[in-house]
Every structure is written in structure tokens, then in C-alpha cells.
Amino acid sequence: MRQRPLRRTARGNLPSELSGFIGRGAELAELGRLLEVSRLVTVTGVGGVGKSRLVLAAARSASEGAREAPEAQGAQGPHAPEEERYCDGIWLAELAGVRDPALLELTLSEALGLTDHTTRPPRTVLAEHLAGKRLLLVLDGFEQLVEETAALVRELLLRSPGLRVLAAGRRPLEVAGERTFPLAPPVPEEALALLEARACEADPAFAATGADRAALAEVCARLDGIPLALELAAGRLRTLSPAQVLSRLEDRFGLLTGGGRGGLPRHRTLRTAIGWSHELCTPAERLLWARLSVFAGQFDLDAAEYVCAGPDLPVEGVLDLVGELLAQSLLVREETPAGVRFRMLETVRLYGAGWLESLGDAVRLRRRHRDWYMGLATWCELDWFSPRQHEVAALVEAELPNLRLALECCLDEPDELHLGQYLAGTLWFYWAGCGRLTEGRHWLDRTLDPPGGQATEYESSRLKALWVLGYVAALQGDATASMCALYECRDGAARSGNRVAAAYAVHRLGCLALVSDDMARARELLGEALEQYRAAGELNSNVLMCQVELGMALAFLGDLPGALALCGEVREICEERGERWTKAYALYVLAYAALEAGGTQEARRLLSECVEINHTFNDLVGLVLALELLALVTVAEGDPAEAAVLQGAAEPMWGGVGLQLFGSGYFNAPRLMCRERAGEVLGAERYAAYAAEGRELRRESLVVRALRGAARVPRPAGLGGVPGPRVPRSTAPADQP
């Protein structure tokens, strides 16, 4: 789960440093030594002792020595040079917010930047991706799923000889070959330096001398030097003197910080520090702290005001209280693509959650949290058909941990299963448009189980979930599941008289026919769906996509004027409404028609915009189709070498798109024609070499390269001027790359 701003580079997704890393030089050196001799190293220790900061510092240190390029060759054994060992990147997966074991593999896939549209188990996708890679995977916060995490790590290490894992948790994974690194609090000098540094960050005017330093040193001793405890104490130094901080510790927790039985158990000391911060909060601040604990990961101010406000906590006062919790280091403020957001450290959140349970208000707050995110999903679905489409994608991405929590809340109550169906169905645009088919399938299957039955007052929610499931399954290449869901939706819509659901069912059956190469059937069903949409007064991205899909069917059947008319109209509506996702598919059909007419320059211009949009939304289906058609355009422009590179880069994406399109003679025609034309000029050996070069490109580099357009200098290949080939309308099965 992304709970911190990420700095994505070619070498991974390590987060930017939010504050300086103080001390721990000896620990860093030892951790580096352990990584030299072991493929699995786990840093263990009590919550708040600094495990996460240490493993991130170690990962950054390794990243500084790792090469950007993935072509590095060399030994893969325990003594391989660092720049070769991690040439495929250093990747962080934050697991603290993951509670459902079924989401563990999906979270790791997301951290690695994987997109998979197939029905393959996510574990299989992970293992296949990592099998030939040399990288470091950092796992942080796995305690709540230790057994599942251990089993997954064991399997990945066995199947991926170039993989190393650096983990941080409160206990070991207990996997064969694991080297554990128990982390103690920093030595007194480093603890004092940390406290002073954090105090200066909280108040730049802070300066400790003489008696103040002595008091701060005693605070460090009282708190056992635990970094999280010191960070909380530093937040108090904005309003209290060091002596006052020490005095309050002694006054309120003398029994816990003194005594004659030796050192305190560190978990009690940490609880003491958090409890001390809790005691120093006003009643309103304590109440907000407890209520904010219902959020998973990040949240924004609007959500906090809706979920947490009430007669005992006026909404107009929430902003000031959030500011106070920020000042006390109980909240963290972060800038994200979705705007300013807040996050509570996991240990602090758990303390608040315990307090909320003791107040007897946890169930009500969880439902209120669920209601907010159902409303958010509803508005995002409406906003998807607007110029704010990209912002909607960023917002839902940021809110995914909370949306998952809301879905779990719906599933926990049998009487509220219809709410889960509504929420999972409403997020169709995210599942289908932003590369989340596998997760969407997970939630849709869960909310629709048990299957079918008589119509109820909530039948519309179930019908929506059914057509979305049919859509997702069709894009995954699971025709059987798709048809079952869509026929059930169609029949249920007929029983209940739901005209809109009936139109969606017919539309998605047409979509299934399209990806199954039954173009005559697709033309019939998609045309019927369009008529039903118009009769029902429905207009949104789905309706426009139906028109584009009908245009595809016409183009594949040879009716280019009909395809141009339909997709040209969609393009105009999209530009008027600010809709980009559907527009990209319209551009693909228009580029197909342009290439058929010999207009390579126009086809490249259209496809360049198409590639940029699909990449922005992480729509792998649209991206791979556009890239392969662009490769064919590149052949027609006289550069078979560059076409082979683009084709080679597109080939690995098919593994994540689904087997259904592999067998499509229509969708595969550009790939086969490109391979044939470029191979004729280059020869099999040179074509294979250029394609191999493309397969090594990372997606970001590939998109930049594809968008170069006219600035690209063709490689000499002896092709001369070759007119743009007509895209064949063959139904012959395509060979798999």
C-alpha cells in the first residue's frame, strides 16, 4: 500500500526521504554485510524502534550502488557485485495496511509495477515476473499476515534465484536461510541527537544548551531511546521546555519509568510514550485521534470532517484539531497526486483504535467510514465522464486502502451485501480503465457470492455488479464466467424491468463477441445496445465505448467509412466533455483506418496521443494494441529496425493482457504483419536482436521512445521507401510470442 509519496525511478519505487536519517551507522553496515551473505534478511524489533527507517536507509544505500541499466551481466551468487545483484531494481512493498490475505500478492504486484489482466493467480504472475530478475524486494509491516507472507517469500525465493528480500517486522518470518537482525534502540548519544534534530524540525528556533541538554538526555533515558517515542516527545517541545517534558513523564508515569526490576520491556515504554502523548491531548484531540484510527493509510480533510464530526466534535473544529495533532507528531502531512493528505503512523493508529473500541463507538465509525467511501465512489463514477478523469484516477488510487476497508465492512454484514455489490460495481471505471482487473474480479466475485435468486429491493445493485463482472471477465479472456454473469444480468433485468441494466448486459455480450472474433455477432449486439442506451437516455464513457467497439467491428469487417463516422463522433464528444480514456480507443480505430488508406503520418499522430493516454491511465489493453499498430506504422515509414524494437517491447505485455486476444486474428493482425514485413528486410537474426532490445525496455522508456515521432532518426536497414501495408482482416489464429 502506498502510504508515502513515491519517487519512481528506473531502479524501483523507494520513497523520498521526508526527514534526515540520524545515526545507526553500525547497524547499516551490519545490515549491508548480512545482505551480502543471505538472500533473506529480516529486521525485527518492537514497534517504534526504527525498523522501517533502517531498512529504507539500507535499501537507499544499495540503490546508490545499483546500475540504472538492466543489461548488466555477471554472477548471481552470494558474492555478485551489488550493481549487478540489483540491476532490476529495489522495490518497496508496504504491508502494514493489508488485512485480507487475498490482497497480499496483489499488493506486491502493485509495488513492482505489474499489471495483469488475466485470470492467472496473482502468485503465479509474481513468480513468473521475478523468475529471471535480479532485484531487492523490501517488505515492511507484515506482522498481521506473517504466515501468509512467509509462505509467499519462501516460494518466490525458491523460484527466483536472483531475488533478495529485506523485511521489517516485529517477528521473524522463519523461512529457511533467513538471517534475523534484532534492532535495539540507538545508543544514548544517537538518541539525544535524534531528539534534538526532530525538535529543531518542529521548531527551527529550538536550541538546547546546558540544563536543557541534561533534561533531554534524561527524557531519552526514560523512553529507552525508542525513536518513535522520541519523535512524539519532540513534537511536545514546540510548547513545553525540556524540563517540563521530563517532569510530565515523571509525574504521570513514574511507576512505569522507574522501579527496581531492571530495564523496562520496550513495548511498555513505547505504550508509555504514546499514552503520555494521549494524556497531554485535550479531550477533543483524543476523540479525533480515536476516530481517525478507522482510516487505512492516507485520508483527506473532507473525509476526516465527515467521518469524525458529530455533536461532541463539531465539524468546524476538525481542521484546528488536525493541526494540533500534526504539531504533536501524531499525524503526518503529505503532498500526493491527489492533493494534501494525512497519515497516522501505524503504532499511533493502533493505540487510537484500541481507545475507540473502549469507547464502544468502533462499529458506528466503521459504518460512517464506509458511507463516506461509497459516496466518494459514486461521485468519482460521475466525474469519470468529465475533464477531471485523470484526477479521479489519482484519487481512487490514493483511496484504494480505504475503499478496500469499506468493501470489507460491507462483506462483514450479510444484510449489507448489496452495498458491497453497489460499491464493487460503481468502481468499474477503476477496474477496467486503470489496470485493476484482477482486484476488481476479486471483489466482484466476493460480493456476488452466494449466486442469484429472486429479485429484491436491491436488485439493481446486484445487476450492476453482474454486468461489471461480465465486462472484467471478458477483458481477462474468461468467456465462460463472462457469459454466465451477463446472461444472469440480462434475465434479471428483464424480470425487474431495468432497461439500463439490460442495455449494459447486451453491450458487454457484444464486447465479448468482439474479443472472440465473432464480428458479425458483435456488430449486431453492439448496435442493439446503442439503441437501448439512447432509449434509456444513458450517456457516459460506457455508452461511448460501445460506439467505439461497434466502430472496431465495422473496421475489421471492412466498413471503414462506417467506422470513421462512429469514432469521429465519439472523438468530438470526448473532446467536448474532456473524456480521454474512451477517446484513446476511438483514436486507435481512426489510426487503423488511416493506415489502411496509406496515411502513415496521420496514423502516427493519432497513435502517439493514444499511447500517451493509455500509459497515463495504466490501461495495458489499450497500450499494447496501440504500440503494435504503431510498430506497423513504423515499418511503413521505412524503419523496420525500430519497428522490431517496438514490437519486441510490446510482446511481454501480452502476458498481462489475457490469452483471449492471443487467438484473435483481427487484433493480432498488426503484430503478424509487422513481424513479416520487418523480418523480410532485416532477416530473422537481426529482427530477433532488435526485438530482444525492445523486450529490455522499461515501460516508461518505451513510451518516451514511442512518442518521439518525427524526431526519431530511422536506422539504416536497406528498406527504402515502402508504402504503408494494408492491415489484413484475417481470422487465422496468431502465433504466440
Side-chain angles (χ1 to χ4, degrees):
M1 304 178 111
R2 294 194 188 99
Q3 298 179 357
R4 281 172 277 189
L6 298 183
R7 175 180 52 84
R8 288 203 172 272
T9 70
R11 291 186 303 201
N13 67 336
L14 295 181
S16 301
E17 191 78 77
L18 297 178
S19 56
F21 187 71
I22 309 296
R24 298 291 200 185
E27 290 90 340
L28 272 175
E30 176 62 12
L31 198 53
R33 187 191 71 78
L34 289 176
L35 281 170
E36 288 284 334
V37 299
S38 176
R39 293 178 59 214
L40 171 60
V41 179
T42 303
V43 178
T44 62
V46 67
V49 78
K51 301 183 295 296
S52 298
R53 294 296 299 270
L54 181 65
V55 297
L56 283 174
R60 289 191 188 96
S61 177
S63 179
E64 289 171 2
R67 248 188 247 170
E68 286 276 344
E71 294 86 354
Q73 302 294 323
Q76 296 186 37
H79 302 294
E82 183 178 86
E83 65 271 15
E84 296 176 357
R85 183 180 304 131
Y86 305 139
C87 64
D88 286 308
I90 299 175
W91 303 87
L92 168 66
E94 297 186 274
L95 305 178
V98 182
R99 298 290 182 268
D100 183 354
L103 297 179
L104 179 61
E105 291 93 343
L106 287 174
T107 302
L108 262 64
S109 295
E110 176 191 354
L112 290 164
L114 297 180
T115 302
D116 185 72
H117 287 334
T118 73
T119 57
R120 295 178 299 170
R123 182 169 299 210
T124 301
V125 175
L126 264 177
E128 290 180 358
H129 172 76
L130 293 173
K133 297 290 193 299
R134 298 195 294 273
L135 57 81
L136 177 65
L137 179 60
V138 183
L139 305 179
D140 186 19
F142 57 80
E143 298 86 355
Q144 72 286 357
L145 294 173
V146 63
E147 296 297 333
E148 294 84 357
T149 304
L152 178 59
V153 168
R154 182 184 300 111
E155 179 178 342
L156 294 179
L157 287 172
L158 286 172
R159 297 181 62 178
S160 311
L163 172 66
R164 288 172 185 259
V165 178
L166 175 59
R170 300 191 185 188
R171 54 166 293 178
L173 286 166
E174 298 181 357
V175 172
E178 178 184 32
R179 297 293 294 269
T180 59
F181 183 78
L183 183 62
V187 298
E189 294 79 8
E190 288 186 352
L192 180 58
L194 175 63
L195 179 57
E196 290 183 341
R198 297 296 183 255
C200 288
E201 290 171 7
D203 181 6
F206 176 84
T209 57
D212 283 346
R213 285 183 62 83
L216 291 176
E218 185 63 20
V219 168
C220 292
R222 289 282 190 263
L223 297 177
D224 268 357
I226 294 178
L228 177 57
L230 299 180
E231 301 245 3
L232 296 174
R236 284 295 170 188
L237 288 168
R238 294 181 58 162
T239 53
L240 300 174
S241 70
Q244 288 174 313
V245 169
L246 179 61
S247 172
R248 285 174 177 263
L249 273 178
E250 291 174 336
D251 289 347
R252 291 184 180 272
F253 298 102
L255 203 60
L256 292 175
T257 57
R261 295 206 209 170
L264 289 169
R266 291 194 177 104
H267 69 276
R268 290 182 62 194
T269 305
L270 178 63
R271 184 169 181 84
T272 295
I274 298 176
W276 167 68
S277 289
H278 191 264
E279 288 293 319
L280 290 177
C281 287
T282 66
E285 291 166 0
R286 292 179 208 162
L287 188 58
L288 181 60
W289 178 351
R291 291 179 177 178
L292 289 175
S293 71
V294 300
F295 289 98
Q298 300 172 338
F299 56 89
D300 62 16
L301 182 61
D302 289 340
E305 288 177 334
Y306 177 87
V307 174
C308 301
D312 48 358
L313 197 64
V315 65
E316 60 270 14
V318 171
L319 174 58
D320 290 339
L321 292 172
V322 166
E324 289 300 318
L325 295 180
L326 281 169
Q328 298 168 46
S329 300
L330 295 167
L331 283 180
V332 178
R333 180 185 184 276
E334 297 178 339
E335 295 280 353
T336 76
V340 174
R341 305 180 68 74
F342 306 98
R343 177 174 55 86
M344 191 173 280
L345 296 175
E346 184 65 10
T347 306
V348 175
R349 190 194 69 79
L350 290 173
Y351 189 96
W355 190 262
L356 188 63
E357 289 285 351
S358 70
L359 293 174
D361 206 20
V363 172
R364 184 184 71 86
L365 263 292
R366 280 196 288 269
R367 287 177 175 167
R368 196 162 175 82
H369 172 276
R370 176 205 63 200
D371 292 345
W372 170 262
Y373 284 100
M374 287 188 64
L376 179 76
T378 300
W379 281 110
C380 284
E381 182 186 30
L382 294 172
D383 259 4
W384 183 254
F385 189 51
S386 79
R388 295 176 295 280
Q389 199 171 55
H390 184 249
E391 288 82 352
V392 167
L395 177 59
V396 177
E397 179 76 12
E399 293 289 13
L400 183 58
N402 284 303
L403 289 164
R404 287 169 171 169
L405 202 61
L407 283 160
E408 287 287 357
C409 182
C410 297
L411 290 166
D412 287 342
E413 299 291 338
D415 292 341
E416 297 181 345
L417 195 59
H418 64 283
L419 297 178
Q421 293 167 355
Y422 172 83
L423 182 52
T426 297
L427 290 170
W428 66 267
F429 61 91
Y430 186 60
W431 312 138
C434 301
R436 290 283 186 173
L437 291 180
T438 303
E439 178 154 0
R441 180 74 179 270
H442 168 78
W443 293 113
L444 290 160
D445 282 339
R446 287 188 66 188
T447 59
L448 287 167
D449 184 35
Q454 298 300 313
T456 69
E457 60 180 312
Y458 306 119
E459 180 73 1
S460 61
S461 295
R462 181 173 182 82
L463 293 177
K464 184 169 189 176
L466 282 168
W467 73 253
V468 176
L469 174 59
Y471 182 25
V472 167
L475 293 179
Q476 288 184 307
D478 190 350
T480 300
S482 179
M483 282 191 290
C484 288
L486 293 172
Y487 283 144
E488 184 181 345
C489 178
R490 184 193 63 183
D491 295 344
R495 286 196 309 269
S496 61
N498 191 323
R499 298 167 64 196
V500 173
Y504 278 104
V506 174
H507 172 189
R508 295 311 170 189
L509 285 168
C511 175
L512 181 60
L514 182 71
V515 299
S516 302
D517 270 4
D518 189 350
M519 294 303 153
R521 178 69 171 158
R523 177 175 57 187
E524 175 188 348
L525 289 171
L526 294 168
E528 179 184 342
L530 273 180
E531 293 178 2
Q532 293 184 21
Y533 280 139
R534 289 164 183 157
E538 191 85 348
L539 178 61
N540 53 36
S541 297
N542 276 301
V543 176
L544 294 181
M545 186 64 79
C546 181
Q547 188 163 327
V548 171
E549 288 162 352
L550 179 57
M552 283 184 182
L554 293 180
F556 291 147
L557 290 171
D559 183 3
L560 293 181
L564 285 170
L566 286 171
C567 292
E569 182 182 14
V570 169
R571 181 183 186 182
E572 291 177 3
I573 296 173
C574 286
E575 289 175 349
E576 177 185 336
R577 298 295 186 105
E579 211 278 6
R580 301 183 69 214
W581 175 64
T582 308
K583 178 184 176 183
Y585 284 89
L587 295 176
Y588 172 84
V589 178
L590 294 174
Y592 181 102
L595 183 58
E596 281 277 296
T600 55
Q601 185 174 356
E602 174 67 3
R604 172 172 290 279
R605 187 181 65 80
L606 293 166
L607 288 170
S608 294
E609 186 178 357
C610 184
V611 166
E612 187 271 329
I613 294 173
N614 286 321
H615 178 61
T616 296
F617 288 109
N618 197 32
D619 186 344
L620 198 59
V621 173
L623 181 60
V624 69
L625 291 175
L627 284 171
E628 291 200 331
L629 192 57
L630 186 60
L632 185 56
V633 170
T634 306
V635 170
E637 290 174 332
D639 193 347
E642 183 67 12
V645 172
L646 292 176
Q647 189 64 66
E651 284 177 4
M653 295 185 192
W654 279 105
V657 168
L659 297 177
Q660 185 71 30
L661 295 184
F662 272 124
S664 169
Y666 292 99
F667 287 104
N668 261 331
R671 176 161 63 97
L672 296 176
M673 181 62 75
C674 176
R675 180 181 296 176
E676 177 185 342
R677 289 297 181 93
E680 286 176 356
V681 178
L682 297 172
E685 185 175 344
R686 291 180 66 204
Y687 179 91
Y690 284 124
E693 177 186 334
R695 283 191 289 273
E696 293 297 327
L697 288 174
R698 299 182 188 276
R699 193 177 303 170
E700 291 77 8
S701 301
L702 168 62
V703 170
V704 170
R705 185 166 184 155
L707 296 181
R708 286 180 189 169
R712 179 180 50 80
V713 178
R715 307 183 193 210
L719 182 66
V722 175
R726 292 179 60 81
V727 180
R729 292 183 291 276
S730 168
T731 56
D735 58 328
Q736 297 188 19

